[in-house]
Protein backbone atom coordinates (compact mmCIF):
# COMPACT_ATOMS: atom_id res chain seq x y z
CA UNK A 1 0.00 0.00 0.00
CA UNK A 2 2.85 2.41 0.74
CA UNK A 3 4.20 1.83 -2.77
CA UNK A 4 0.86 2.95 -4.18
CA UNK A 5 0.92 6.10 -2.06
CA UNK A 6 4.44 6.92 -3.24
CA UNK A 7 3.32 6.62 -6.85
CA UNK A 8 0.12 8.61 -6.30
CA UNK A 9 1.85 11.55 -4.56
CA UNK A 10 2.81 13.20 -7.86
CA UNK A 11 -0.76 12.89 -9.13
CA UNK A 12 -2.11 14.43 -5.94
CA UNK A 13 0.20 17.43 -6.35
CA UNK A 14 -0.86 17.88 -9.98
CA UNK A 15 -4.55 17.74 -9.03
CA UNK A 16 -3.99 20.33 -6.29
CA UNK A 17 -2.42 22.66 -8.85
CA UNK A 18 -5.42 22.04 -11.11
CA UNK A 19 -7.77 22.96 -8.27
CA UNK A 20 -5.89 26.21 -7.63
CA UNK A 21 -6.68 27.38 -11.15
CA UNK A 22 -10.39 26.72 -10.70
CA UNK A 23 -12.54 28.80 -8.41
CA UNK A 24 -9.69 30.59 -6.55
CA UNK A 25 -8.47 32.00 -9.86
CA UNK A 26 -11.64 34.10 -10.18
CA UNK A 27 -10.73 35.98 -7.01
CA UNK A 28 -6.94 36.07 -7.37
CA UNK A 29 -6.87 37.42 -10.94
CA UNK A 30 -8.21 40.81 -9.83
CA UNK A 31 -5.41 41.12 -7.30
CA UNK A 32 -2.65 40.11 -9.71
CA UNK A 33 -3.60 41.86 -12.94
CA UNK A 34 -4.90 45.22 -14.08
CA UNK A 35 -8.34 44.55 -15.53
CA UNK A 36 -8.84 47.91 -17.26
CA UNK A 37 -7.38 46.72 -20.57
CA UNK A 38 -9.71 44.33 -22.44
CA UNK A 39 -6.84 42.50 -24.14
CA UNK A 40 -5.30 41.73 -20.76
CA UNK A 41 -8.71 40.66 -19.47
CA UNK A 42 -9.14 38.12 -22.30
CA UNK A 43 -5.66 36.72 -21.74
CA UNK A 44 -6.14 36.46 -17.98
CA UNK A 45 -9.49 34.72 -18.39
CA UNK A 46 -7.97 32.13 -20.73
CA UNK A 47 -5.16 31.12 -18.35
CA UNK A 48 -7.26 28.52 -16.41
CA UNK A 49 -8.21 26.85 -19.69
CA UNK A 50 -4.61 26.57 -20.81
CA UNK A 51 -3.53 25.28 -17.39
CA UNK A 52 -6.36 22.74 -17.44
CA UNK A 53 -5.29 21.29 -20.80
CA UNK A 54 -1.62 21.36 -19.79
CA UNK A 55 -2.35 19.44 -16.60
CA UNK A 56 -4.42 16.89 -18.50
CA UNK A 57 -1.46 16.29 -20.82
CA UNK A 58 0.92 16.06 -17.85
CA UNK A 59 -1.32 13.46 -16.20
CA UNK A 60 -1.45 11.44 -19.41
CA UNK A 61 2.34 11.47 -19.76
CA UNK A 62 2.79 10.49 -16.11
CA UNK A 63 0.27 7.68 -16.54
CA UNK A 64 2.09 6.33 -19.59
CA UNK A 65 5.40 6.39 -17.70
CA UNK A 66 3.93 4.65 -14.66
CA UNK A 67 2.08 2.05 -16.74
CA UNK A 68 5.35 1.13 -18.43
CA UNK A 69 7.24 1.12 -15.13
CA UNK A 70 4.69 -1.18 -13.47
CA UNK A 71 4.15 -3.25 -16.66
CA UNK A 72 0.38 -2.83 -16.56
CA UNK A 73 -2.10 -3.21 -19.40
CA UNK A 74 -5.00 -0.95 -20.42
CA UNK A 75 -2.88 2.17 -20.77
CA UNK A 76 -5.16 3.48 -23.50
CA UNK A 77 -8.22 3.18 -21.27
CA UNK A 78 -6.58 5.20 -18.51
CA UNK A 79 -5.21 7.84 -20.90
CA UNK A 80 -8.55 8.38 -22.62
CA UNK A 81 -10.22 8.62 -19.22
CA UNK A 82 -7.58 11.13 -18.08
CA UNK A 83 -8.14 13.19 -21.21
CA UNK A 84 -11.76 13.80 -20.24
CA UNK A 85 -11.40 13.72 -16.44
CA UNK A 86 -7.87 13.42 -14.98
CA UNK A 87 -8.99 11.91 -11.68
CA UNK A 88 -10.73 9.05 -13.48
CA UNK A 89 -7.51 8.06 -15.26
CA UNK A 90 -5.64 8.11 -11.97
CA UNK A 91 -8.29 5.93 -10.32
CA UNK A 92 -8.09 3.40 -13.17
CA UNK A 93 -4.31 3.27 -12.75
CA UNK A 94 -4.57 2.87 -8.97
CA UNK A 95 -7.10 0.04 -9.28
CA UNK A 96 -4.97 -1.81 -11.82
CA UNK A 97 -1.89 -1.37 -9.63
CA UNK A 98 -3.76 -2.64 -6.56
CA UNK A 99 -4.94 -5.67 -8.52
CA UNK A 100 -1.37 -6.43 -9.60
CA UNK A 101 -0.10 -6.17 -6.02
CA UNK A 102 -2.95 -8.40 -4.86
CA UNK A 103 -1.92 -11.07 -7.39
CA UNK A 104 1.71 -10.79 -6.23
CA UNK A 105 0.65 -11.53 -2.65
CA UNK A 106 -1.36 -14.58 -3.75
CA UNK A 107 1.61 -16.14 -5.56
Amino acid sequence: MSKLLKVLNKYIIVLIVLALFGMPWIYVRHLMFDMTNHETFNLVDSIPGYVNYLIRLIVIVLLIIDFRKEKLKHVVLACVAALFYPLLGIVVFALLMLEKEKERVRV
Side-chain angles (χ1 to χ4, degrees), residues 42-61:
N42 290 335
L43 177 66
V44 170
D45 275 350
S46 63
I47 289 174
Y50 293 138
V51 170
N52 190 1
Y53 288 120
L54 180 67
I55 287 179
R56 288 174 191 229
L57 291 175
I58 289 170
V59 168
I60 289 172
V61 169

Side-chain angles (χ1 to χ4, degrees), residues 2 96 99:
S2 65
L96 290 171
E99 182 66 29

Side-chain angles (χ1 to χ4, degrees), residues 29-48:
R29 69 181 179 181
H30 293 291
L31 300 173
M32 293 175 57
F33 300 102
D34 178 26
M35 293 298 190
T36 57
N37 189 356
H38 291 292
E39 292 176 13
T40 306
F41 185 73
N42 290 335
L43 177 66
V44 170
D45 275 350
S46 63
I47 289 174

